[in-house]
Amino acid sequence: MQKFQYPPSAMTRRHFFQAAGLGLGVAALGALDGGFEAVAEAGVLQPHHPPRAKSAIFLQMCGGPSQLDLFEDKPELTARHDQPAPAYMYEGRRFAFIADAPNLLGTPYRFARHGESGATLSELLPYTASVADELCFIKSVHTSQFNHAPAQLFMSTGSEFLGRPSMGSWVGYGLGSENKDLPGFVVLVPRMGVDGGKALWNQGFLPPQYQGVQFRTQGEAAPFVQNPPGIDNERRVLTIDAINDLNKVRLARLHDPEIAGRIAAYELAFRMQTIVPELADLSRESEATLELYGARPGADTFANACLLARRLVEAGVRFVQICYRGSPSAIWDCHGEKRSASLEHALPQLCRDVDQPSAALVRDLRQRGLLDETLVVWGGEFGRTCMNENRGGNARFLGRDHWPDASTIWMAGGGIKPGMTYGLTDEFGFQVVENPVSMHDLHATMLYSLGLDHSRLSYKFQGLDFRLTGVEPGVKVLHDLFT
């Protein structure tokens, strides 16, 4: 392969630093004489170690589900419901909305143990309880962010700042796609948008072909993939060929990886035209499968998103991220200031939305022999306080403020030990007291399941080697979670 060199006339300051950095995009340009496919695939890494999972499904509950009403049974907190909270819980601490001395808030819901593992779950999650022995509950997750957008960014990208690549983009960069006719990273956002917006699945400074592609379960599955009215496939091919020819001329002159990414996007969109409509057609599923998920073809629901996620990983998509905030009538952000954001009314509705599909996804993957090679992760950007927010001093509904110091997520498949509970909080669910897990620990563990070493998966940008897990010491893979 001929070694690529910039002609002096095209060597700008920006291009010099790109070349000096040996980034993936510049390395890919060295494959120009191998044709477009070589440009798109050059630089893709191999797994650092034998992977436990080939793909991942990330069920991101945007808004901070209350661990104290879903996963954490705290009898002492319930016994002291509505009593003044100890001063250490609020003095000198920063909250999103709690301003005065609050009262403790015990859960209004019953808990019980389930399965051979004896996992403790709320009555709001009966379907999840039915697959408890397939799940690993991590009850000691903490984060550095206490407001939604930065916390969701941190959970998705490893940083609270805009412009960093999302986890799905890092996985695509590290492993590539198993199906050249589909994106390596697909995103589903049923019902309503999320606080972090599209930054949750942006590729950041990675080449643009690693950006998450948003699919839908209602209407056209992928925006702008189908031919416009009056344009047949033959004319579409001619149009794309002409555009790509012009882009290749520009690429040969400027050597900008962004142009190579644009060429890749056009080519992928055209290939997706034949496979995506069939793949997204949930009516092809059996009645028994639709009933398992509670799915209805053509509906914009979390259930449909979960079923489509299974179809996507089955077809070779590496990373599927479902961002679910709720609906106008119920959101995860249960502060208690209104009915749609309350523990009494919103939380049960949200659980009805996600409980059955989440459990069905695990069960369906197991039945199809896919769970061992698919990592499933369920959780939000932070937890909720053990104190009643009582915003304004006269709130009509029960609600909890944001709490970054303790939350619960669960994982399944991908080599994760089933029927396990990891980590522990105190008697109020206020502080982690055993096996703390940072968001970066969680990221490192997810990458490990997919065969990637978080400390070696890096990309040079602006002279620095960036990683999903940052450069701070102490990030650890949770090896105890694996079989």
PDB file of all heavy atoms in Angstrom, residues 4 16 29 66 87 113 130 140 145 154 166 171 261 269 289 321 358 369-370 374 379 387 397 415 450:
ATOM      1  N   PHE A   4       0.623   7.441   2.287  1.00  0.00           N
ATOM      2  CA  PHE A   4       0.042   8.741   1.931  1.00  0.00           C
ATOM      3  C   PHE A   4       0.882   9.886   2.483  1.00  0.00           C
ATOM      4  O   PHE A   4       1.374   9.833   3.608  1.00  0.00           O
ATOM      5  CB  PHE A   4      -1.379   8.851   2.501  1.00  0.00           C
ATOM      6  CG  PHE A   4      -1.968  10.209   2.313  1.00  0.00           C
ATOM      7  CD1 PHE A   4      -2.513  10.554   1.102  1.00  0.00           C
ATOM      8  CD2 PHE A   4      -1.926  11.134   3.331  1.00  0.00           C
ATOM      9  CE1 PHE A   4      -3.036  11.814   0.927  1.00  0.00           C
ATOM     10  CE2 PHE A   4      -2.436  12.385   3.158  1.00  0.00           C
ATOM     11  CZ  PHE A   4      -2.997  12.731   1.957  1.00  0.00           C
ATOM     12  N   PHE A  16      -1.768  19.474   9.541  1.00  0.00           N
ATOM     13  CA  PHE A  16      -0.501  19.054  10.122  1.00  0.00           C
ATOM     14  C   PHE A  16      -0.708  18.370  11.470  1.00  0.00           C
ATOM     15  O   PHE A  16      -0.159  17.301  11.744  1.00  0.00           O
ATOM     16  CB  PHE A  16       0.432  20.256  10.289  1.00  0.00           C
ATOM     17  CG  PHE A  16       1.668  19.926  11.089  1.00  0.00           C
ATOM     18  CD1 PHE A  16       2.731  19.243  10.498  1.00  0.00           C
ATOM     19  CD2 PHE A  16       1.747  20.251  12.434  1.00  0.00           C
ATOM     20  CE1 PHE A  16       3.854  18.923  11.237  1.00  0.00           C
ATOM     21  CE2 PHE A  16       2.867  19.925  13.176  1.00  0.00           C
ATOM     22  CZ  PHE A  16       3.922  19.254  12.574  1.00  0.00           C
ATOM     23  N   LEU A  29      -6.945   7.401   5.641  1.00  0.00           N
ATOM     24  CA  LEU A  29      -6.659   7.980   4.339  1.00  0.00           C
ATOM     25  C   LEU A  29      -5.541   7.235   3.624  1.00  0.00           C
ATOM     26  O   LEU A  29      -5.433   7.283   2.401  1.00  0.00           O
ATOM     27  CB  LEU A  29      -6.277   9.459   4.496  1.00  0.00           C
ATOM     28  CG  LEU A  29      -7.412  10.350   4.986  1.00  0.00           C
ATOM     29  CD1 LEU A  29      -6.897  11.756   5.238  1.00  0.00           C
ATOM     30  CD2 LEU A  29      -8.538  10.371   3.987  1.00  0.00           C
ATOM     31  N   SER A  66     -36.131   6.085  40.861  1.00  0.00           N
ATOM     32  CA  SER A  66     -35.943   6.014  42.310  1.00  0.00           C
ATOM     33  C   SER A  66     -35.562   4.602  42.740  1.00  0.00           C
ATOM     34  O   SER A  66     -36.395   3.693  42.747  1.00  0.00           O
ATOM     35  CB  SER A  66     -37.223   6.439  43.038  1.00  0.00           C
ATOM     36  OG  SER A  66     -37.093   6.184  44.424  1.00  0.00           O
ATOM     37  N   ALA A  87     -29.284  15.893  60.420  1.00  0.00           N
ATOM     38  CA  ALA A  87     -28.669  17.091  59.852  1.00  0.00           C
ATOM     39  C   ALA A  87     -27.541  16.765  58.879  1.00  0.00           C
ATOM     40  O   ALA A  87     -27.318  17.496  57.898  1.00  0.00           O
ATOM     41  CB  ALA A  87     -28.160  17.991  60.969  1.00  0.00           C
ATOM     42  N   ARG A 113     -38.831 -10.707  48.219  1.00  0.00           N
ATOM     43  CA  ARG A 113     -37.693 -11.409  47.625  1.00  0.00           C
ATOM     44  C   ARG A 113     -38.192 -12.343  46.521  1.00  0.00           C
ATOM     45  O   ARG A 113     -39.290 -12.900  46.614  1.00  0.00           O
ATOM     46  CB  ARG A 113     -36.937 -12.190  48.697  1.00  0.00           C
ATOM     47  CG  ARG A 113     -36.266 -11.281  49.715  1.00  0.00           C
ATOM     48  CD  ARG A 113     -35.326 -12.060  50.624  1.00  0.00           C
ATOM     49  NE  ARG A 113     -34.624 -11.175  51.541  1.00  0.00           N
ATOM     50  CZ  ARG A 113     -33.511 -10.524  51.239  1.00  0.00           C
ATOM     51  NH1 ARG A 113     -32.966 -10.677  50.046  1.00  0.00           N
ATOM     52  NH2 ARG A 113     -32.929  -9.729  52.122  1.00  0.00           N
ATOM     53  N   SER A 130     -39.726 -11.624  37.819  1.00  0.00           N
ATOM     54  CA  SER A 130     -39.821 -12.970  37.250  1.00  0.00           C
ATOM     55  C   SER A 130     -38.531 -13.423  36.581  1.00  0.00           C
ATOM     56  O   SER A 130     -38.340 -14.619  36.340  1.00  0.00           O
ATOM     57  CB  SER A 130     -40.977 -13.038  36.245  1.00  0.00           C
ATOM     58  OG  SER A 130     -40.661 -12.323  35.052  1.00  0.00           O
ATOM     59  N   SER A 140     -24.624   0.136  44.223  1.00  0.00           N
ATOM     60  CA  SER A 140     -23.661   1.083  44.785  1.00  0.00           C
ATOM     61  C   SER A 140     -23.067   2.017  43.723  1.00  0.00           C
ATOM     62  O   SER A 140     -21.926   2.427  43.824  1.00  0.00           O
ATOM     63  CB  SER A 140     -22.538   0.307  45.476  1.00  0.00           C
ATOM     64  OG  SER A 140     -21.984  -0.669  44.591  1.00  0.00           O
ATOM     65  N   GLN A 145     -22.238  14.015  38.913  1.00  0.00           N
ATOM     66  CA  GLN A 145     -23.167  15.033  38.407  1.00  0.00           C
ATOM     67  C   GLN A 145     -24.539  14.892  39.067  1.00  0.00           C
ATOM     68  O   GLN A 145     -25.014  13.780  39.272  1.00  0.00           O
ATOM     69  CB  GLN A 145     -23.308  14.908  36.889  1.00  0.00           C
ATOM     70  CG  GLN A 145     -21.989  14.986  36.134  1.00  0.00           C
ATOM     71  CD  GLN A 145     -21.255  16.273  36.398  1.00  0.00           C
ATOM     72  OE1 GLN A 145     -21.834  17.363  36.296  1.00  0.00           O
ATOM     73  NE2 GLN A 145     -19.981  16.175  36.732  1.00  0.00           N
ATOM     74  N   PHE A 154     -22.654  12.303  31.162  1.00  0.00           N
ATOM     75  CA  PHE A 154     -21.609  11.539  31.838  1.00  0.00           C
ATOM     76  C   PHE A 154     -21.869  10.044  31.701  1.00  0.00           C
ATOM     77  O   PHE A 154     -20.941   9.257  31.461  1.00  0.00           O
ATOM     78  CB  PHE A 154     -21.549  11.938  33.316  1.00  0.00           C
ATOM     79  CG  PHE A 154     -20.248  11.602  33.971  1.00  0.00           C
ATOM     80  CD1 PHE A 154     -19.229  12.534  34.042  1.00  0.00           C
ATOM     81  CD2 PHE A 154     -20.029  10.346  34.523  1.00  0.00           C
ATOM     82  CE1 PHE A 154     -18.011  12.217  34.647  1.00  0.00           C
ATOM     83  CE2 PHE A 154     -18.832  10.025  35.127  1.00  0.00           C
ATOM     84  CZ  PHE A 154     -17.813  10.965  35.184  1.00  0.00           C
ATOM     85  N   SER A 166     -19.837   9.171  22.491  1.00  0.00           N
ATOM     86  CA  SER A 166     -20.669   8.319  23.330  1.00  0.00           C
ATOM     87  C   SER A 166     -20.086   6.908  23.395  1.00  0.00           C
ATOM     88  O   SER A 166     -19.222   6.529  22.597  1.00  0.00           O
ATOM     89  CB  SER A 166     -22.087   8.259  22.768  1.00  0.00           C
ATOM     90  OG  SER A 166     -22.065   7.636  21.501  1.00  0.00           O
ATOM     91  N   VAL A 171     -17.441   1.947  21.070  1.00  0.00           N
ATOM     92  CA  VAL A 171     -17.523   0.525  20.735  1.00  0.00           C
ATOM     93  C   VAL A 171     -17.414   0.325  19.231  1.00  0.00           C
ATOM     94  O   VAL A 171     -16.700  -0.569  18.750  1.00  0.00           O
ATOM     95  CB  VAL A 171     -18.830  -0.081  21.284  1.00  0.00           C
ATOM     96  CG1 VAL A 171     -19.047  -1.499  20.750  1.00  0.00           C
ATOM     97  CG2 VAL A 171     -18.812  -0.096  22.805  1.00  0.00           C
ATOM     98  N   GLY A 261     -16.071  10.426   6.109  1.00  0.00           N
ATOM     99  CA  GLY A 261     -17.254  10.037   6.865  1.00  0.00           C
ATOM    100  C   GLY A 261     -18.540  10.330   6.118  1.00  0.00           C
ATOM    101  O   GLY A 261     -19.493   9.556   6.172  1.00  0.00           O
ATOM    102  N   ALA A 269     -26.438   4.668   3.926  1.00  0.00           N
ATOM    103  CA  ALA A 269     -27.859   4.988   3.791  1.00  0.00           C
ATOM    104  C   ALA A 269     -28.475   4.250   2.613  1.00  0.00           C
ATOM    105  O   ALA A 269     -29.605   3.746   2.696  1.00  0.00           O
ATOM    106  CB  ALA A 269     -28.044   6.493   3.637  1.00  0.00           C
ATOM    107  N   THR A 289     -44.599 -13.513  20.627  1.00  0.00           N
ATOM    108  CA  THR A 289     -43.498 -12.595  20.922  1.00  0.00           C
ATOM    109  C   THR A 289     -44.019 -11.191  21.194  1.00  0.00           C
ATOM    110  O   THR A 289     -43.572 -10.512  22.126  1.00  0.00           O
ATOM    111  CB  THR A 289     -42.487 -12.576  19.762  1.00  0.00           C
ATOM    112  OG1 THR A 289     -41.956 -13.893  19.582  1.00  0.00           O
ATOM    113  CG2 THR A 289     -41.351 -11.616  20.053  1.00  0.00           C
ATOM    114  N   GLN A 321     -28.834   1.692  21.941  1.00  0.00           N
ATOM    115  CA  GLN A 321     -29.117   2.514  23.124  1.00  0.00           C
ATOM    116  C   GLN A 321     -30.565   2.994  23.049  1.00  0.00           C
ATOM    117  O   GLN A 321     -30.972   3.617  22.076  1.00  0.00           O
ATOM    118  CB  GLN A 321     -28.166   3.711  23.157  1.00  0.00           C
ATOM    119  CG  GLN A 321     -28.339   4.627  24.362  1.00  0.00           C
ATOM    120  CD  GLN A 321     -27.221   5.668  24.432  1.00  0.00           C
ATOM    121  OE1 GLN A 321     -26.175   5.537  23.785  1.00  0.00           O
ATOM    122  NE2 GLN A 321     -27.423   6.704  25.220  1.00  0.00           N
ATOM    123  N   SER A 358     -38.645  -4.771  29.440  1.00  0.00           N
ATOM    124  CA  SER A 358     -37.272  -5.015  29.893  1.00  0.00           C
ATOM    125  C   SER A 358     -37.067  -6.483  30.229  1.00  0.00           C
ATOM    126  O   SER A 358     -36.069  -7.105  29.836  1.00  0.00           O
ATOM    127  CB  SER A 358     -36.951  -4.144  31.113  1.00  0.00           C
ATOM    128  OG  SER A 358     -37.076  -2.771  30.823  1.00  0.00           O
ATOM    129  N   GLY A 369     -30.989 -18.038  22.489  1.00  0.00           N
ATOM    130  CA  GLY A 369     -29.579 -18.335  22.602  1.00  0.00           C
ATOM    131  C   GLY A 369     -28.677 -17.134  22.401  1.00  0.00           C
ATOM    132  O   GLY A 369     -27.482 -17.288  22.102  1.00  0.00           O
ATOM    133  N   LEU A 370     -29.214 -15.933  22.598  1.00  0.00           N
ATOM    134  CA  LEU A 370     -28.460 -14.707  22.353  1.00  0.00           C
ATOM    135  C   LEU A 370     -28.015 -13.989  23.618  1.00  0.00           C
ATOM    136  O   LEU A 370     -27.200 -13.066  23.544  1.00  0.00           O
ATOM    137  CB  LEU A 370     -29.306 -13.728  21.514  1.00  0.00           C
ATOM    138  CG  LEU A 370     -29.660 -14.153  20.098  1.00  0.00           C
ATOM    139  CD1 LEU A 370     -30.660 -13.174  19.488  1.00  0.00           C
ATOM    140  CD2 LEU A 370     -28.405 -14.227  19.243  1.00  0.00           C
ATOM    141  N   THR A 374     -24.933 -11.165  24.416  1.00  0.00           N
ATOM    142  CA  THR A 374     -25.492  -9.805  24.407  1.00  0.00           C
ATOM    143  C   THR A 374     -25.508  -9.269  25.834  1.00  0.00           C
ATOM    144  O   THR A 374     -26.101  -9.874  26.727  1.00  0.00           O
ATOM    145  CB  THR A 374     -26.927  -9.795  23.855  1.00  0.00           C
ATOM    146  OG1 THR A 374     -26.954 -10.415  22.572  1.00  0.00           O
ATOM    147  CG2 THR A 374     -27.436  -8.358  23.727  1.00  0.00           C
ATOM    148  N   GLY A 379     -30.580   1.260  33.640  1.00  0.00           N
ATOM    149  CA  GLY A 379     -30.353   2.200  34.731  1.00  0.00           C
ATOM    150  C   GLY A 379     -30.438   3.645  34.291  1.00  0.00           C
ATOM    151  O   GLY A 379     -30.519   3.941  33.097  1.00  0.00           O
ATOM    152  N   MET A 387     -35.014  11.587  51.241  1.00  0.00           N
ATOM    153  CA  MET A 387     -35.794  12.663  51.869  1.00  0.00           C
ATOM    154  C   MET A 387     -36.880  13.140  50.913  1.00  0.00           C
ATOM    155  O   MET A 387     -36.711  13.120  49.697  1.00  0.00           O
ATOM    156  CB  MET A 387     -34.861  13.826  52.223  1.00  0.00           C
ATOM    157  CG  MET A 387     -33.765  13.450  53.194  1.00  0.00           C
ATOM    158  SD  MET A 387     -32.392  14.639  53.181  1.00  0.00           S
ATOM    159  CE  MET A 387     -31.476  14.102  51.738  1.00  0.00           C
ATOM    160  N   PHE A 397     -47.801  16.120  46.285  1.00  0.00           N
ATOM    161  CA  PHE A 397     -47.426  14.743  45.972  1.00  0.00           C
ATOM    162  C   PHE A 397     -46.063  14.414  46.577  1.00  0.00           C
ATOM    163  O   PHE A 397     -45.265  15.295  46.881  1.00  0.00           O
ATOM    164  CB  PHE A 397     -47.369  14.538  44.453  1.00  0.00           C
ATOM    165  CG  PHE A 397     -48.643  14.891  43.744  1.00  0.00           C
ATOM    166  CD1 PHE A 397     -48.729  16.051  42.980  1.00  0.00           C
ATOM    167  CD2 PHE A 397     -49.756  14.076  43.835  1.00  0.00           C
ATOM    168  CE1 PHE A 397     -49.893  16.387  42.317  1.00  0.00           C
ATOM    169  CE2 PHE A 397     -50.935  14.396  43.180  1.00  0.00           C
ATOM    170  CZ  PHE A 397     -51.007  15.556  42.426  1.00  0.00           C
ATOM    171  N   GLY A 415     -21.647 -12.537  29.887  1.00  0.00           N
ATOM    172  CA  GLY A 415     -20.703 -13.072  30.852  1.00  0.00           C
ATOM    173  C   GLY A 415     -20.938 -12.631  32.277  1.00  0.00           C
ATOM    174  O   GLY A 415     -20.183 -13.015  33.187  1.00  0.00           O
ATOM    175  N   LEU A 450     -17.284  -6.599  26.169  1.00  0.00           N
ATOM    176  CA  LEU A 450     -17.230  -6.592  24.702  1.00  0.00           C
ATOM    177  C   LEU A 450     -15.828  -6.860  24.162  1.00  0.00           C
ATOM    178  O   LEU A 450     -15.600  -6.777  22.951  1.00  0.00           O
ATOM    179  CB  LEU A 450     -17.739  -5.248  24.182  1.00  0.00           C
ATOM    180  CG  LEU A 450     -19.236  -4.997  24.408  1.00  0.00           C
ATOM    181  CD1 LEU A 450     -19.562  -3.518  24.282  1.00  0.00           C
ATOM    182  CD2 LEU A 450     -20.073  -5.818  23.438  1.00  0.00           C
TER     183      LEU A 450
END
